[in-house]
Amino acid sequence: MELETVHLFHGTYKKNAEIINKQGFKAIDIPNVGKINSGTVKSKPGSLGFGLYGFKDNQGLAFNYIKRVCNGTDYEVLCFDIQFHRDNILNFVDSIDDMMLFQHWKENPSRKKLLKILKCKYHNGTKQHSLDGAILEAYIQDMMRLKEFGGPIDAVCSATHTPTDVELNNNNIAMVPNGIEYAVRSNNIIDKVSVKTVDIDSNQLEE
């Protein structure tokens, strides 16, 4: 099966970027299902679960995100490629099959107790949808246990909306997606040679 390649942009603190450029990304930690269900994880999951987040083909969104998060601290935007097989990714952008399978799993009466537990431990805020991420983690681990996937899930992708400076200044944040975000779950799909710091074009970012 042919590999697919996607170009991602990832914002981080400048100190982290320097380490990544020298040593590569650190190992991606996916907590076990027990810790996720009990809410005892060290950090809450992102909207697409645990992993390394990046925006597809859009350095402006990565810039807007990290600028807001760092709040005055030096930051940089990195770009890198990931390569994967279609069967090893959950695609909530344009795969109806992936969307329907996830929906059917959630609607199964046997999941009612689990979803109730997760709703007590996590919530969807304006900046991060931790409940969505926790449910996705439960889904992935359950489907892996049932051997419903063709192999490990190396990444999850979905349409996303990242507020821009204009929206934040006007207190008017749209909900219409303005990009595609990936949560990379395995370092094995990262092309280490492709990792580099982006020379940010401020004129382009303001468009």
Side-chain angles (χ1 to χ4, degrees), residues 125-144:
T126 55
K127 295 182 179 179
Q128 183 168 302
H129 291 185
S130 294
L131 175 58
D132 288 352
I135 292 174
L136 270 173
E137 286 295 340
Y139 169 68
I140 291 171
Q141 298 197 38
D142 196 27
M143 296 298 271
M144 290 295 295

Side-chain angles (χ1 to χ4, degrees), residues 104-183:
H104 290 161
W105 178 87
K106 283 200 305 179
E107 292 177 349
N108 189 313
S110 65
R111 317 287 181 223
K112 186 175 181 179
K113 182 178 179 181
L114 171 62
L115 295 178
K116 185 177 181 180
I117 291 173
L118 293 177
K119 287 178 182 177
C120 291
K121 304 293 182 180
Y122 306 93
H123 73 280
N124 290 336
T126 55
K127 295 182 179 179
Q128 183 168 302
H129 291 185
S130 294
L131 175 58
D132 288 352
I135 292 174
L136 270 173
E137 286 295 340
Y139 169 68
I140 291 171
Q141 298 197 38
D142 196 27
M143 296 298 271
M144 290 295 295
R145 177 181 61 82
L146 297 173
K147 298 182 178 180
E148 293 290 337
F149 295 141
I153 298 301
D154 292 328
V156 180
C157 67
S158 180
T160 186
H161 182 88
T162 298
T164 63
D165 286 342
V166 173
E167 290 175 318
L168 292 172
N169 291 336
N170 293 335
N171 294 319
N172 184 22
I173 300 176
M175 296 305 295
V176 177
N178 60 1
I180 295 175
E181 192 168 24
Y182 277 71

Side-chain angles (χ1 to χ4, degrees), residues 61-80:
L61 290 183
F63 173 83
N64 276 298
Y65 168 78
I66 197 61
K67 179 182 178 182
R68 189 170 71 254
V69 170
C70 285
N71 192 27
T73 306
D74 289 342
Y75 55 84
E76 288 186 347
V77 171
L78 302 173
C79 65
F80 60 96

Side-chain angles (χ1 to χ4, degrees), residues 27-38:
I28 296 170
D29 179 36
I30 309 294
N32 64 50
V33 66
K35 289 185 177 180
I36 294 171
N37 291 356
S38 64

